[in-house]
């Protein structure tokens, strides 16, 4: 009897404990921060967590909801009907739902059909052991919004990283890596289909002027505009890339003839000539395009690029703003060009350069008013080379800066040597390249040369071309003022070939204008040339400037210039450029010159035979 009471007591305690556990679990499930529900197969709600009340369009009083569809926003009810109509034991789906606070959340939902066992009361005091079962549907939804956001951020990061690796950061075009990948695939397709493709290498002409005059920010904006022009003018299937600097490349697939390639190239040249307004200035740069065609000009991307590059440089040499197809003969020329560049680098180191001097003569007195220093190259194999054959190369490769510095110092040193020997040739004139003149601190370089050689500043004249002077007129004025303050003379060379603004010209602290030889060649025979030359002479005199004509080769030219008041002349009619030895022979020849207190005067007739 006692044992029965003990068993009964334990059973009661277990029953109470189980009831407490059910209560605790009920509370836990009710308040758990997930969408949790138990419903019958017909959709009657047996249980729902309070988290459902956060959803928009769902009642705050969860206990009053009787249908499963009431636990979710209206947007999810069609999906619920679809799920209720299936007998699948378990499935997963995603629910995008808006909360009452306006935020949007993503839930990972798991819907499971389970059999729910329940005990039936026993008979005659027997324990509840007989059971029956009904299916119920248990649904749990976990908020994965933060996880999805993290994954989205990671995907975006990977996408941005991918873009940064394979695209040019300035223009957004394909960079060299992506270009190689795309073109290798294009070549593979062309090989399979036995078709052609064209590669166009495009380089802007004189783009450096934009950077030098308006700054690199303006240059970057212009490059972005160029990139957009190219994208707008080409098909989506065409590849456009920026290889670096102001160099772009275009690949056209499925091209059928050279005429269509040329038409596209000309269209690109035309659109690039359209001005782009930057910092209030309309800026336009022409371009030079080199074209190579697969498979005729190469069967690999490196060969095609190399040959397009060769053709592009030929287009620049032919006057820029044009397209040039590659032809095999260009390679021989390109190799020669490369060898010449290497030789020029060695020439600076091995003292192969020479300075020649051409006298400048006063038309009225025949007196030598100065010497223009002109560089020559004593090539070990090619002999004495004119600057026409290597100065453009020096400018393109940047060698013009050390070359120009050498000429300046050599000319000043020799002129000072002659002065010390009692030979007064008035002054020595040295041409400045644009790159040399634009060097930061160039005025300090000139001062150092004068100090090193001991040449008085008034014995040096620097010549800058009209086009160089007008590239950035404001900076030109500052530099010329610095040079003028040293006491040396300044001249504008090749006057008449550029686009001078008289408003700026009158602010330049110059002493001389040099009429370009193109206006002197037929000045005594052609009325138009004569009118231009006469206008320049009058302009110079009205501005209190001296004027000198270069390229004088005939007595009739001298007579015409003298009658129109030209001050000085220079050219083969008086003397060709002379080596130092030949110049000293001229100065010491009493039959040809007179040396007196006024300097050195040529005797007439002029030295045409020399």
């Amino acid at each position: 009897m006692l044992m029965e009471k003990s068993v009964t007591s334990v059973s009661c305690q277990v029953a109470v404990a189980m009831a407490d556990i059910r209560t605790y679990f009920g509370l836990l499930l009710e308040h758990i921060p997930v969408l949790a529900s138990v419903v019958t197969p017909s959709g009657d709600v047996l249980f729902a967590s309070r988290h459902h009340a956060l959803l928009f369009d769902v009642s705050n009083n969860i206990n009053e909801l009787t249908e499963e569809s009431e636990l979710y926003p209206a947007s999810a009810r069609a999906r619920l009907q679809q799920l209720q109509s299936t007998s699948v034991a378990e499935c997963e789906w995603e629910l995008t739902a808006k909360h009452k606070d306006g935020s949007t959340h993503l839930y990972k939902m798991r819907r499971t059909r389970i059999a729910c066992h329940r005990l039936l009361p026993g008979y005659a005091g027997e324990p509840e052991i007989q059971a029956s079962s009904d299916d119920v549907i248990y649904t749990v939804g976990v908020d994965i919004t933060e996880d999805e956001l993290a994954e989205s951020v990671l995907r975006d990061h990977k996408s941005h990283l991918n873009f940064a690796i394979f695209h040019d950061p300035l223009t957004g075009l394909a960079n060299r890596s992506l270009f190689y990948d795309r073109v290798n695939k294009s070549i593979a397709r062309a090989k399979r289909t036995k078709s052609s493709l064209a590669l166009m290498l495009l380089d802007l002409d004189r783009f450096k002027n934009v950077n030098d005059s308006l700054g690199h920010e303006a240059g970057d904006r212009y490059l972005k505009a160029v990139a957009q022009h190219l994208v707008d003018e080409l098909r989506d299937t065409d590849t456009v890339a920026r290889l670096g600097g102001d160099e772009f490349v275009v690949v056209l697939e499925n091209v059928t003839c050279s005429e269509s390639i040329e038409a596209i190239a000309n269209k690109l040249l035309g659109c690039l000539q359209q001005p782009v307004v930057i910092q209030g200035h309309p800026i336009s740069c022409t371009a030079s395009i080199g074209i190579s065609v697969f498979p005729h000009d190469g069967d690999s991307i490196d060969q095609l690029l190399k040959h397009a590059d060769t053709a592009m440089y030929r287009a620049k040499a032919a006057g820029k703003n044009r397209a040039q197809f590659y032809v095999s003969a260009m390679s021989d020329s390109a190799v020669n060009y490369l060898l010449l560049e290497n030789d020029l680098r060695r020439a600076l180191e091995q003292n192969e350069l020479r300075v020649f001097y051409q006298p400048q003569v006063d038309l009225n007195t025949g007196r030598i008013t100065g010497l223009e220093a002109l560089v020559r190259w004593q090539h070990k194999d090619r002999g004495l080379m004119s600057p026409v054959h290597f100065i453009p190369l020096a400018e393109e490769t940047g060698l013009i800066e050390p070359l120009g510095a050498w000429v300046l110092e050599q000319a000043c040193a020799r002129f000072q040597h002659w002065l010390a020997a009692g030979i007064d040739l008035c002054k020595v004139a040295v041409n400045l390249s644009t790159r040399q003149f634009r060097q930061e601190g160039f005025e300090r370089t000139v001062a150092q040369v004068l100090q090193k050689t001991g040449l008085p500043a008034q014995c040096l004249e620097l010549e800058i071309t009209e086009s160089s002077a007008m590239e950035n007129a404001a900076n030109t004025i500052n530099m010329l003022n610095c040079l003028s303050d040293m006491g040396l003379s300044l001249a504008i060379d090749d006057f008449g070939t550029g686009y001078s603004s008289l408003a700026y010209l009158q602010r330049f602290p110059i002493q001389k204008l040099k009429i370009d030889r193109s206006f002197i060649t037929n000045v005594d025979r052609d009325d138009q040339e004569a009118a231009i030359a006469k206008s320049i002479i009058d302009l110079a005199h009205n501005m209190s400037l001296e004027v000198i004509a270069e390229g004088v080769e005939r007595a009739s030219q001298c007579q015409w210039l003298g009658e129109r008041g030209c001050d000085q002349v220079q050219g083969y009619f008086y003397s060709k450029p002379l080596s130092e030895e030949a110049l000293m022979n001229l100065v010491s020849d009493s039959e040809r010159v007179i040396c007196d207190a006024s300097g050195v005067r040529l005797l007439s007739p002029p030295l045409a035979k020399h």
Side-chain angles (χ1 to χ4, degrees), residues 49-63:
S49 66
R50 293 183 180 275
H51 199 76
H52 281 272
L54 296 177
L55 302 181
F56 181 78
D57 204 25
V58 175
S59 173
N60 289 327
N61 193 345
I62 297 298
N63 295 328

Side-chain angles (χ1 to χ4, degrees), residues 295-314:
H296 183 266
D297 299 327
D299 60 358
S300 72
I301 186 171
D302 288 327
Q303 282 184 318
L304 292 171
L305 268 177
K306 174 185 174 183
H307 292 159
D309 187 63
T310 300
M312 185 267 290
Y313 276 105
R314 181 58 63 91

Side-chain angles (χ1 to χ4, degrees), residues 196-419:
S196 296
L197 65 83
L199 187 149
M200 296 182 179
L201 190 63
L202 183 152
D203 189 88
L204 299 180
D205 300 326
R206 303 181 186 89
F207 173 71
K208 186 176 182 296
N209 294 348
V210 178
N211 281 335
D212 290 347
S213 58
L214 298 178
H216 288 279
E217 182 181 351
D220 288 348
R221 288 174 59 190
Y222 188 78
L223 289 175
K224 290 166 73 174
V226 168
Q228 191 59 53
H229 278 317
L230 295 177
V231 171
D232 291 343
E233 292 294 331
L234 296 167
R235 304 169 299 183
D236 292 340
T237 54
D238 299 327
T239 294
V240 186
R242 180 185 178 217
L243 298 185
D246 59 341
E247 193 172 61
F248 298 83
V249 64
V250 172
V251 176
L252 311 173
E253 293 193 56
N254 299 316
V255 292
T256 56
C257 61
S258 59
E259 288 78 9
S260 61
I261 299 171
E262 187 174 12
I264 294 172
N266 288 333
K267 182 174 73 168
L268 295 181
L269 291 173
C271 82
L272 292 178
Q273 289 181 36
Q274 301 303 313
V276 178
V277 178
I278 297 175
Q279 297 178 4
H281 303 283
I283 305 299
S284 63
C285 285
T286 58
S288 298
I289 299 178
I291 306 170
S292 59
V293 180
F294 170 89
H296 183 266
D297 299 327
D299 60 358
S300 72
I301 186 171
D302 288 327
Q303 282 184 318
L304 292 171
L305 268 177
K306 174 185 174 183
H307 292 159
D309 187 63
T310 300
M312 185 267 290
Y313 276 105
R314 181 58 63 91
K316 284 189 176 293
K320 304 180 176 63
N321 191 28
R322 66 194 65 217
Q324 175 73 58
F325 282 89
Y326 172 78
V327 292
S328 58
M330 289 180 181
S331 292
D332 298 334
S333 191
V335 170
N336 181 59
Y337 193 77
L338 178 61
L339 293 175
L340 192 61
E341 179 184 344
N342 292 334
D343 286 350
L344 182 55
R345 292 182 187 278
R346 285 195 296 270
L348 289 165
E349 301 167 0
Q350 298 176 2
N351 197 30
E352 293 181 2
L353 298 177
R354 303 285 183 268
V355 179
F356 277 49
Y357 302 89
Q358 187 171 35
Q360 298 173 335
V361 181
D362 185 294
L363 260 179
N364 294 320
T365 65
R367 179 173 177 259
I368 294 178
T369 57
L371 303 173
E372 181 176 4
L374 301 165
V375 67
R376 298 289 186 269
W377 181 5
Q378 188 66 52
H379 193 280
K380 60 183 184 301
D381 298 320
R382 308 181 191 213
L384 191 66
M385 293 178 61
S386 164
V388 172
H389 297 113
F390 64 88
I391 289 298
L393 172 64
E395 289 177 339
E396 186 175 317
T397 59
L399 291 173
I400 193 67
E401 293 181 15
L403 189 153
W406 180 86
V407 171
L408 176 63
E409 183 171 337
Q410 183 72 12
C412 289
R414 297 315 298 159
F415 203 84
Q416 174 58 26
H417 172 76
W418 297 328
L419 283 176

